[in-house]
Amino acid sequence: MTGTFNLALDTQPAAGAASAAWLLLVLPALGAAVLLIGGRRTNKWGHLLGSGMVIAAFAYAVVLFFDTTSLAAEDRLRDLHLFDWISVNQLSVDFGLRLDPLSITFVLLITGVGSLIHIYSIGYMNHELEDRRRFFAYLNLFIAAMLLLVLGNSFVTLYFGWEGVGLASYLLIGWYQGKDFAATAAKKAFLMNRVGDVGLALAIFLMFKTMGSTQYDVVFSEIGNQSTGTIVAIGLLLLLGACGKSGQFPLQAWLPDAMAGPTPVSALIHAATMVTAGVYLIARSSPLYSLPQAEDARLVVMIIGAITLLLGCIIGCAYDDFKKVLAYSTVSQIGYMILAVGLGPAGYAFGILHLLTHGFFKAGLFLGAGSVMHAMNDEGDIRRMGGLWKKMPITFATWTLGYLALIGFPFLSGYFSKDEIINAALGQGGTRGWVFGGIALLGAALTAFYMTRLLILVWLGKPRWENLTSPATPDPESPEAPVGKPYHPHESPSTMTIPMIILAFGSVAGGAILSSMLPEWLTPAIGEVEETHGALSHTMVGILTVVLAAIGAGLAFLLFGRRETAVERPKRVSFPVRAARADLFGNHLNEALFARPGTWLTRALVYVDNRGVDGLVNGIAAGLGGSSGRLRRTQTGFVRSYALSMLGGSILVIAALLMVRFA
């Protein structure tokens, strides 16, 4: 590797248009408050208010972006102090906003893609008029929490937004309250995220213990003076937090189950907000991870990203649920991003680049999936689809562009961002370069395979839905005779297709535009890109990636495009397919290592509490009660008995005194 890592740490007070940056938090938070407090009175216009608040935040974010670009590069790190938040003894936390190229980039993504998802939701949630305003309130709360996460000027402020995102995701994933699977998925996401949150919290505690502050400016300026052990410990604890929020190994099992929520929630969580938080956390902490002492921590970050990348690709090849295939695709693509930021200065910018392009094409893919399910009676089984391109031409066109961008088709957005990550991984040189670069290349081939399978089974071939009905559901008026509905696929309304068209444009042109300007734009926040020189040239890496993707797509066509697909899943399949459909036994592993031992420990503690602690307390009480009952029998009320007792006592006292005197 060659190059240097230069990062400006000094921030300037925010002024001008930036002094109103608090609006980014207030607008969506106000929308959520009005809709939740207003209740049913806001049913008629709540969706418009919720969408309008996020659109207004996006408009201000654009103004803030151009205001920042007008400044010199060294002046683009600004801090907006709002108020003193926590002041207890030596702990002082300033509630403020850090306005730099990194945070503004995320703000544009969150509010931009978030606005399109809000508009899409107007049409998608049209059948739930009574509860639609509550749905938009939760969406607004989600956006507000995510904006606080990326804009906060300290790790404590980030943690506040981090937990807010966790709460909002719990509410949205469990939206269908009457369905057990939704409640289970929401709890699973909430609890698994808490595991990662413990890591982030411990990292913050360790920062305060060693550096006396959690403010970014102080931590980043002092971290280089800490011991290697402290630096590595903080780096690994931050990674644990990132694994929980971004669904990385071994905490990835919650993310596919999050598909239980409405499709706009899936798009919001998997494209622009929650799952990108872990990537943001590591990129924001680049002054720590770029230190020579943090080499081991960076290596673990790369390992986690590479494992997750492959895991998501393999499982995505076996699922028949439309949204779950896309969910595991997200797991895999976030693995690419984690691998990139684990490369340090050679990969920070490219990880963020892939995050942005992924926001375009993956949001479009999820919204396209929602459009299909909206037209197919909420059907998600791709075996019951096929030939839908004739019925839904707009959705098909936008979805296909997102598919091509994801598999890295030349000159679409994914081609620019994914190739840069693969090239940077190979550029590590030696065994490390071949291992991580090879895994990234294999992931490109597998991605093309499972996404082409999805394209064929959903959109191409013969319609397999024509003589079928949707799975029967109980009718409240006659539960003894549930009846399924026939499929009548049709194009979605304009409120749903227009956001998909806009995202399709981003899928096509976003990579070319961003790749030419993003690295330089992010330099003040994450440092200059460090050039790498591996065994293969950049051009050869690009050609090899395209060839492998073509092989993966061609193999999928041979297996699924040249023969009819059965509507029912085969009862007997090979072990690799069974393992992939069982999430490579990730849930089994978590249950064996954590859930069951935790249950056994709880039962043991309950037993000790009941028989030990309670037994001791109850035993003492019973002993005192029994002895007092026996003593009560001596209270007869007869004077002669009391006199005899006094005489006996006196004799014992005299005998004791004589023994002491003459012994």
Side-chain angles (χ1 to χ4, degrees), residues 302-354:
M302 288 189 286
I303 292 172
I304 293 297
I307 292 174
T308 310
L309 186 164
L310 276 182
L311 184 147
C313 287
I314 293 170
I315 298 176
C317 293
Y319 263 101
D320 296 326
D321 184 281
F322 200 167
K323 289 203 299 180
K324 279 201 172 184
V325 174
L326 294 178
Y328 273 109
S329 173
T330 297
V331 170
S332 177
Q333 297 307 306
I334 299 294
Y336 270 106
M337 301 173 205
I338 293 293
L339 172 61
V341 294
L343 296 172
Y348 292 134
F350 301 135
I352 301 301
L353 174 62
H354 194 53

Side-chain angles (χ1 to χ4, degrees), residues 175-380:
W175 173 257
Y176 297 118
Q177 298 177 357
K179 300 179 180 179
D180 292 339
F181 69 88
T184 301
K187 289 187 289 186
K188 185 175 183 179
F190 189 81
L191 292 174
M192 291 196 75
N193 269 270
R194 300 290 75 73
V195 177
D197 294 353
V198 169
L200 178 56
L202 291 175
I204 295 172
F205 297 156
L206 188 55
M207 290 174 194
F208 177 70
K209 174 66 171 59
T210 57
M211 290 171 276
S213 177
T214 62
Q215 300 294 128
Y216 289 150
D217 288 344
V218 176
V219 172
F220 295 157
S221 62
E222 294 292 331
I223 189 65
N225 300 324
Q226 308 307 311
S227 66
T228 300
T230 299
I231 294 172
V232 172
I234 294 176
L236 294 178
L237 290 171
L238 291 176
L239 173 62
L240 178 58
C243 287
K245 201 64 74 183
S246 291
Q248 298 294 285
F249 178 83
L251 301 177
Q252 80 286 351
W254 70 268
L255 200 149
D257 288 357
M259 297 300 99
T263 297
V265 176
S266 303
L268 194 63
I269 290 177
H270 289 71
T273 55
M274 185 169 174
V275 295
T276 65
V279 181
Y280 170 81
L281 177 62
I282 295 177
R284 172 58 74 195
S285 304
S286 57
L288 183 155
Y289 286 100
S290 299
L291 294 171
Q293 303 96 304
E295 175 68 22
D296 292 341
R298 281 203 309 275
L299 178 60
V300 176
V301 174
M302 288 189 286
I303 292 172
I304 293 297
I307 292 174
T308 310
L309 186 164
L310 276 182
L311 184 147
C313 287
I314 293 170
I315 298 176
C317 293
Y319 263 101
D320 296 326
D321 184 281
F322 200 167
K323 289 203 299 180
K324 279 201 172 184
V325 174
L326 294 178
Y328 273 109
S329 173
T330 297
V331 170
S332 177
Q333 297 307 306
I334 299 294
Y336 270 106
M337 301 173 205
I338 293 293
L339 172 61
V341 294
L343 296 172
Y348 292 134
F350 301 135
I352 301 301
L353 174 62
H354 194 53
L355 185 150
L356 296 176
T357 59
H358 179 266
F360 291 128
F361 58 69
K362 186 54 64 65
L365 289 170
F366 268 113
L367 296 187
S371 180
V372 171
M373 295 173 65
H374 186 266
M376 291 280 289
N377 304 339
D378 290 327
E379 179 62 68

Side-chain angles (χ1 to χ4, degrees), residues 411-413 504-514:
F411 309 114
L412 270 66
S413 60
F505 278 109
S507 300
V508 172
I513 296 172
L514 291 171

Side-chain angles (χ1 to χ4, degrees), residues 340-543:
V341 294
L343 296 172
Y348 292 134
F350 301 135
I352 301 301
L353 174 62
H354 194 53
L355 185 150
L356 296 176
T357 59
H358 179 266
F360 291 128
F361 58 69
K362 186 54 64 65
L365 289 170
F366 268 113
L367 296 187
S371 180
V372 171
M373 295 173 65
H374 186 266
M376 291 280 289
N377 304 339
D378 290 327
E379 179 62 68
D381 189 345
I382 59 177
R383 290 180 173 273
R384 302 172 72 88
M385 299 180 186
L388 290 176
W389 71 273
K390 295 180 181 179
K391 299 292 184 179
M392 308 178 68
I394 298 176
T395 302
F396 169 67
T398 58
W399 196 93
T400 302
L401 289 173
Y403 150 79
L404 292 173
L406 172 56
I407 68 172
F409 191 83
F411 309 114
L412 270 66
S413 60
Y415 169 79
F416 291 96
S417 57
K418 191 185 296 183
D419 279 16
E420 293 288 2
I421 295 174
I422 296 172
N423 183 67
L426 288 169
Q428 296 294 296
T431 303
R432 179 179 297 189
W434 284 113
V435 169
F436 291 113
I439 290 174
L441 285 168
L442 178 59
L446 291 173
T447 299
F449 175 82
Y450 69 74
M451 286 302 299
T452 303
R453 171 179 177 264
L454 198 59
L455 174 73
I456 293 170
L457 295 184
V458 173
W459 299 105
L460 307 179
K462 296 180 180 180
R464 297 181 296 279
W465 44 266
E466 290 182 328
N467 299 319
L468 302 175
T469 59
S470 57
T473 54
D475 186 345
E477 297 181 358
S478 56
E480 68 281 355
V483 178
K485 298 179 181 179
Y487 296 111
H488 296 292
H490 55 277
E491 190 58 87
S492 299
S494 58
T495 53
M496 297 172 65
T497 56
I498 290 175
M500 290 190 292
I501 292 171
I502 296 174
L503 289 168
F505 278 109
S507 300
V508 172
I513 296 172
L514 291 171
S515 63
S516 62
M517 56 172 285
L518 190 68
E520 182 179 355
W521 159 253
L522 291 175
T523 295
I526 60 176
E528 298 177 357
V529 175
E530 189 176 75
E531 296 182 3
T532 57
H533 302 283
L536 300 177
S537 67
H538 201 162
T539 302
M540 281 298 299
V541 171
I543 294 173

